[in-house]
Amino acid sequence: MRKKLLSLALAGVLCLSMAVPAAAAPPSELEMAAAYVQERGIMAGDQNGNLNLDAGLNRAELAVLLTRLRGGLEELYANTGYYEQGCKFTDVPAWAKLFVGYCVRNNLVAGYDALRYGAADPVNPAAACTVILRVCGVEDGEGSIWNYSTACSYAAGLGWIDESTAHANTITRGDMAVLIYRAQTGARPGVPPSTGDGFLSNGKPVTEENVLELLRQLEQDWPHGMVWGTHNTPGTHKNEVPSTAANHVMDVYWVSEYYGCSGYASMVSSLIFGDKANPGRRVEDLTQIRPGDILFRVRNDTGSIWHVVIALETPNEIGAFHYTDGNHGGIIRWPDKEDPYERDNLDSYSEEGKTYRLEAWTRYPDTVPHTGNSVNAWPTGS
């Protein structure tokens, strides 16, 4: 009887354990990318709904993805004659001519020559990065800061493509889905999608030390002297990094999150603190400025903005600190010991009769205390 009761008890425990569902594993980046492109109609599955992410991607199929990604289907079918004429290539199948023509008309793709597009050829990483950069408005051509041969390294610097994928011979449909997903959402490799307030874009906690680490990496990615885009300088860079939270700060001052010094500041802020996480708040005590804070030089007489910069350190005992800015003289500037760059000083804005005042915004959560450990953290040059 005792054995029978024990058997029944064990059976009951087994049934209960089987009834409790296992915790679902978080979706992988590939799964999130697949859901993203499928939900938006960028990639369509086969008759069974399978996206065939391991399969290769040819240049004809790429034209279809680009047309959908750019939201051009309505325009495509409303002007079929125009886009059919845009495809002069003799090797493009009938079903793809409209899509290739659309992409040619919109300067997204080009053929090998006047008659050969290479419709059946597999897409390589350089071609994939080139067309996605173009779709996202990052212009190439004479005077630009990237071209076909550097498209992969440029996209890798933005976090859109992994190094291993960038060095492969061809890309898969899954690789393309991830590239589109990162480019469109600002997702960064290795960063949990749930990363939110209190975490940086690399998944590390928001601390002054971790922000300094990212700023020093950005100094390598966007070096001193690089041309920065303006409305008046065609072919130069403008901010293509999703900058929702930074833009909310820029909106307070009616300045652009895309061009010039404010566009550069938005990009740097977003690459550090993320697109939507860590919303900005005003810093009332300017001695509490920290690395990564957005600083506005405001005219006292009109309230208009003269310049926007990113602080690189907390002001020292005399109120002096370094910063980085874009579009001052048309270039990005970082402090460097070999090319001295004057520090800003709080005293320049704090006395009566000054032309400008300084206003600061931070994206450090209010739960992260100011330490002052970043005083005299720059320049980094030898």
Side-chain angles (χ1 to χ4, degrees):
M1 183 65 177
R2 181 177 297 175
K3 289 183 178 179
K4 186 176 181 180
L5 289 173
L6 180 59
S7 297
L8 289 171
L10 289 172
V13 170
L14 180 60
C15 288
L16 285 173
S17 65
M18 292 176 67
V20 177
S28 67
E29 183 181 39
L30 180 58
E31 290 171 330
M32 291 186 293
Y36 180 89
V37 296
Q38 191 166 39
E39 289 170 0
R40 288 159 179 77
I42 300 168
M43 278 191 183
D46 58 22
Q47 62 272 22
N48 298 317
N50 191 337
L51 291 182
N52 300 310
L53 298 175
D54 293 331
L57 182 71
N58 66 37
R59 286 167 56 86
E61 294 166 336
L62 176 64
V64 178
L65 297 186
L66 294 176
T67 304
R68 292 171 177 165
L69 176 60
R70 205 170 184 269
L73 290 179
E74 184 176 346
E75 167 68 16
L76 183 77
Y77 294 125
N79 297 280
T80 56
Y82 174 73
Y83 291 115
E84 282 177 348
Q85 292 174 10
C87 181
K88 306 292 187 182
F89 308 112
T90 59
D91 63 344
V92 175
W95 65 265
K97 282 187 177 294
L98 263 180
F99 299 98
V100 173
Y102 177 89
C103 291
V104 169
R105 293 289 197 190
N106 286 282
N107 298 314
L108 299 177
V109 302
Y112 299 143
D113 54 43
L115 298 177
R116 192 164 59 101
Y117 174 67
D121 291 352
V123 176
N124 62 34
C129 291
T130 294
V131 295
I132 295 303
L133 285 165
R134 287 173 179 167
V135 166
C136 292
V138 189
E139 298 175 357
D140 57 338
E142 186 177 355
S144 70
I145 58 177
W146 71 275
N147 54 38
Y148 182 85
S149 63
T150 62
C152 284
S153 60
Y154 188 93
L158 295 175
W160 290 2
I161 190 170
D162 293 333
E163 290 292 341
S164 58
T165 305
H167 288 94
N169 292 325
T170 60
I171 68 166
T172 65
R173 288 169 59 84
D175 294 331
M176 194 69 188
V178 171
L179 176 57
I180 292 170
Y181 172 67
R182 290 181 182 175
Q184 294 290 295
T185 67
R188 303 280 287 180
V191 181
S194 59
T195 296
D197 297 349
F199 293 90
L200 300 171
S201 64
N202 60 4
K204 293 185 178 182
V206 177
T207 67
E208 292 171 46
E209 291 74 18
N210 289 339
V211 170
L212 281 171
E213 178 185 344
L214 281 172
L215 280 166
R216 285 172 177 144
Q217 179 58 52
L218 289 174
E219 184 185 22
Q220 302 303 312
D221 297 339
W222 301 87
H224 182 86
M226 178 179 283
V227 175
W228 185 251
T230 74
H231 290 290
N232 300 319
T233 313
T236 57
H237 188 73
K238 61 179 183 289
N239 179 20
E240 299 294 346
V241 176
S243 303
T244 304
N247 185 33
H248 290 330
V249 178
M250 300 302 164
D251 283 346
V252 174
Y253 297 91
W254 293 89
V255 293
S256 173
E257 78 274 24
Y258 296 114
Y259 290 94
C261 58
S262 54
Y264 174 77
S266 292
M267 181 193 76
V268 171
S269 180
S270 299
L271 290 176
I272 294 171
F273 294 99
D275 175 22
K276 298 179 181 178
N278 306 305
R281 56 190 174 86
R282 182 81 174 268
V283 178
E284 300 300 335
D285 183 353
L286 296 182
T287 65
Q288 303 290 296
I289 289 171
R290 289 180 278 193
D293 285 354
I294 304 173
L295 309 182
F296 297 86
R297 295 173 181 171
V298 186
R299 285 194 64 96
N300 283 317
D301 55 350
T302 65
S304 61
I305 301 301
W306 172 52
H307 204 44
V308 187
V309 305
I310 294 288
L312 294 175
E313 58 193 359
T314 291
N316 62 17
E317 66 280 358
I318 62 170
F321 61 94
H322 285 103
Y323 58 88
T324 179
D325 65 333
N327 204 41
H328 184 96
I331 64 171
I332 294 172
R333 300 181 66 175
W334 295 86
D336 189 281
K337 290 181 180 178
E338 295 181 358
D339 181 18
Y341 185 27
E342 291 184 5
R343 288 180 171 181
D344 214 336
N345 196 296
L346 298 182
D347 290 342
S348 301
Y349 307 94
S350 58
E351 299 175 8
E352 292 185 8
K354 296 293 185 183
T355 302
Y356 302 99
R357 66 180 181 271
L358 194 66
E359 296 186 4
W361 288 70
T362 189
R363 291 179 63 186
Y364 288 76
D366 55 13
T367 55
V368 178
H370 175 272
T371 67
N373 291 339
S374 65
V375 171
N376 299 322
W378 294 75
T380 60
S382 58

